[in-house]
Each structure stands twice: as C-alpha cells, then as structure tokens.
Amino acid sequence: VIDRSGSMRGDKIEQAREAALQVIEGLDDGEAFNIVDYSDTIEVFAENPVIKSDETIAEARAYLAKLSPGGGTNIHDALLTALRQDPTAGALPMVLFLTDGLPTVGKRSEVDIREGAKGANVHKRRVFTFGVGVDVNAPLLTALARSSRATSAFVLPDEDVEVKVGSVFKRLSGPILAAPKLVALGADGAPDPKKTREVLPAELPDLFEGDQLTVLGQYTSEQPLRLRLEGEYLGE
C-alpha cells in the first residue's frame, strides 16, 4: 500500500516504487500480490491479489511507473481497501503499508482509524507499517502493526525507503511461530493465569527468522514457574 500524496514527490516516490518492485519480484512462485495506492482517492492494481508471473510482474512495473504524487493522505480508506481483499488460499495474508504523513483526508481520528482497521481485518492480515520521515503518526502506525501481530518500521530522512522495506521483507518468508501464546502453568501442568500479571506485549507478534522477542510481566508467586510457548508452524 503506497502513499502517493503530494509530500511523496521526488526521491521518496521513486524509492517507494523500487521497494514495491523488490517485494513483488522477491515473492515465491505461487504467491500473490496486489498494489493499493492512495492520496485523496484510492486506486488498485487489481480487484483482488494476482499470482506472481512474468506477465503480472510486467503489468505491475508499468502500473507503478505511472504513479504521480499529489493531493492529501487518506490512510483510513487505503487501509480498509487492502484489508477487505479476498485472501489467497494456503497463504498467510499480509499488508505492507507505507505513508509519509498524517491523515488529512477522510477519517483523521487515530481511534477511528484503528477501530476501522480492526473491524475490516476479517481475514486476519498482518499489517507491517512503514513511516517515512518525521511527520508520521508513529503511535498509530505502531498500534496498527502490533494489533495484527506484525511490526512497524520508521525511515529517517537520511535513510532509503527501498532498503528499509527490503530488510523487513527478507524476513517474511513465513513465520517460524505464528500466533504465539505464552502460558503460565501451575504445579499440575494446567494453565494458571494467576501466576503472572501485566504481561507485555499482551498479544505476541508472529516470530520470523532472526527475530528476538522480549516479554515483560510480573511474577506473583514464590514457587518455581513453568511457562509454555505455543503457536503454529506450517499449520501445525
């Protein structure tokens, strides 16, 4: 999902194009993609995600070349357009969402945007967010990613959008542990939620190759504590 508002003129839109191509061309055979671009209005490359092929890559390259920055930033409707797309069978659906500004068109309230995205994400897409520059709503982008078990990344003015997006995408070949859950166990081996409290993050993100995850919380007992980490790997 690419921001093409007026503030993306110059190097930023060129880097965003190259980042999108890097992602599309880096997909495995059989994987699917789409392109959503937005300013005041929302446009899509295809009605629903298409399977990667020489033909669809060529069409995507031509589509991206025609993107022209201008207008405001309709984050809310762009997110909903991406989240409502039909998923591809057998794949974990993801969104890579890029913006360089605050919402200026459509719904602008951070709460409205978060709640709208939550309600629209019926397919449980992971939303990886990228904030470009210093004029983004970092708490909003972080919350959108965290609530969907994804991560957020921020591109500083002296950094390259393509490099930052590429570094995240390289890890997304599939979660090593999807939908992980950390459970405290009692002496009988059964879950005992009273053993811990105020655990953060409350919902653990998917873990990809090379990830590190720190979980903080309070331990409420003086007895030895057993923890069980569970999740899914390749559907099991």
Side-chain angles (χ1 to χ4, degrees):
V1 184
I2 300 175
D3 186 342
R4 53 170 167 79
S5 61
S7 57
M8 285 289 292
R9 289 190 181 93
D11 288 344
K12 285 194 284 190
I13 193 65
E14 295 302 325
Q15 291 174 3
R17 281 194 188 100
E18 291 303 315
L21 281 171
Q22 180 182 188
V23 168
I24 293 167
E25 293 174 351
L27 293 172
D28 291 335
D29 291 341
E31 290 187 318
F33 72 91
N34 204 353
I35 302 165
V36 178
D37 56 283
Y38 68 101
S39 58
D40 299 292
T41 59
I42 317 300
E43 306 294 340
V44 293
F45 167 69
E47 184 175 351
N48 281 300
V50 297
I51 300 298
K52 174 194 174 184
S53 67
D54 291 343
E55 181 181 0
T56 55
I57 288 177
E59 292 172 350
R61 188 183 295 276
Y63 183 88
L64 289 165
K66 294 178 180 178
L67 294 185
S68 179
T73 309
N74 192 344
I75 288 178
H76 177 267
D77 290 351
L79 264 175
L80 265 57
T81 299
L83 292 171
R84 288 170 174 165
Q85 303 242 311
D86 292 334
T88 302
L92 180 69
M94 300 181 184
V95 170
L96 276 65
F97 186 92
L98 184 147
T99 185
D100 79 330
L102 302 170
T104 60
V105 177
K107 291 187 177 181
R108 305 179 193 181
S109 161
E110 180 177 331
V111 173
D112 287 346
I113 294 172
R114 287 204 320 262
E115 290 302 313
K118 181 179 179 181
N121 196 7
V122 295
H123 302 301
K124 297 183 179 180
R125 279 186 163 86
R126 275 57 170 174
V127 183
F128 292 85
T129 57
F130 298 86
V132 181
V134 296
D135 296 325
V136 297
N137 186 330
L140 171 61
L141 297 181
T142 300
L144 288 170
R146 185 173 294 164
S147 65
S148 68
R149 297 185 183 273
T151 59
S152 55
F154 296 93
V155 186
L156 299 176
D158 60 345
E159 293 183 310
D160 190 301
V161 176
E162 181 185 358
V163 172
K164 184 60 69 79
V165 173
S167 66
V168 173
F169 176 71
K170 286 178 182 177
R171 297 171 28 238
L172 304 185
S173 59
I176 301 303
L177 195 65
K181 185 178 180 182
L182 191 64
V183 181
L185 303 177
D188 59 355
D192 186 353
K194 295 180 181 179
K195 292 283 188 183
T196 56
R197 63 191 304 271
E198 297 190 33
V199 176
L200 295 173
E203 188 170 53
L204 304 186
D206 291 339
L207 297 180
F208 293 86
E209 184 74 39
D211 277 353
Q212 294 186 24
L213 175 64
T214 300
V215 181
L216 303 177
Q218 294 184 3
Y219 175 38
T220 62
S221 172
E222 296 181 358
Q223 300 302 315
L225 179 66
R226 291 179 59 211
L227 297 170
R228 182 175 69 221
L229 182 65
E230 54 191 36
E232 294 184 9
Y233 176 63
L234 297 180
E236 297 185 359

